[in-house]
Amino acid sequence: MKILFLNGPNLNLLGQREPEIYGNTTLADIEGKVRERAAELKVEVDFRQSNVEGELVGWIQQAKGKFEAIVINAAAYTHTSIALRDAIAASGVPTIEIHLSNVHAREKFRHKSLIAPVCRGQITGFGQKSYILGLEAAIDVKDA
Ligand code: DQA
């Protein structure tokens, strides 16, 4: 099984960015933890980050037929991007939405996710563990 992890804007700054909200862990650290767990579960992962909405859209489009699930932290695009939502719907690849912080406990503009209705589910608020939970959910989605 191959799972595509996508990370949206500013997640390349994890570790330096608002550590009181996002912690001190870098995206590379998180990727390492995901790869460790993926090896235990015997699944393959591809892990990518982009600050560019169109690049994320392209990756979602190309996932069809290559990946059995997508785990996405769309970051701020979660709350703004109809393009990402349409790409997820069009690809038909089962997608899990994840967030480090609990978006529902933060500013009102973060309470709305435009991608949630086209995702299988949402994992939010568990810090870097959200990525591991996302990986496990992606594996379960395939068997569902
Ligand atoms: C985030 C939450 C978003 O609201 C925010 O724009 C991010 C990160 C999270 O992982 O908690 O950049 O997706």
Side-chain angles (χ1 to χ4, degrees), residues 56-106:
L56 294 162
V57 167
W59 287 339
I60 294 166
Q61 289 180 1
Q62 290 155 18
K64 193 175 178 175
K66 297 207 190 89
F67 293 92
E68 282 149 287
I70 297 171
V71 180
I72 185 166
N73 184 350
Y77 291 145
T78 306
H79 317 295
T80 62
S81 179
I82 299 170
L84 279 186
R85 176 199 171 112
D86 287 352
I88 293 167
S91 80
V93 180
T95 299
I96 318 291
E97 174 184 352
I98 63 166
H99 301 282
L100 294 151
S101 63
N102 178 356
V103 289
H104 301 292
R106 298 182 61 195

Side-chain angles (χ1 to χ4, degrees), residues 127-140:
Q128 58 174 308
K129 187 81 199 285
S130 292
Y131 282 75
I132 304 298
L133 295 171
L135 172 68
E136 294 175 356
I139 295 168
D140 287 353

Side-chain angles (χ1 to χ4, degrees), residues 23-24 30 32 39 41 56 59 69-70 73 80 83 87-88 98 105-106 108 111 113 115 119 124 136 142:
N24 297 307
I30 293 176
L41 296 170
L56 294 162
W59 287 339
I70 297 171
N73 184 350
T80 62
I88 293 167
I98 63 166
R106 298 182 61 195
K108 199 149 188 252
H111 297 181
S113 165
I115 66 169
C119 290
T124 185
E136 294 175 356
K142 183 191 146 251

Side-chain angles (χ1 to χ4, degrees), residues 1-32:
M1 179 182 193
K2 283 178 82 174
I3 300 171
L4 177 61
F5 273 78
L6 294 181
N7 293 281
N10 301 306
L11 294 172
N12 55 311
L13 299 179
L14 285 180
Q16 327 157 21
R17 174 191 181 204
E18 298 177 277
E20 64 291 354
I21 298 172
Y22 299 115
N24 297 307
T25 317
T26 67
L27 193 60
D29 294 335
I30 293 176
E31 178 178 352

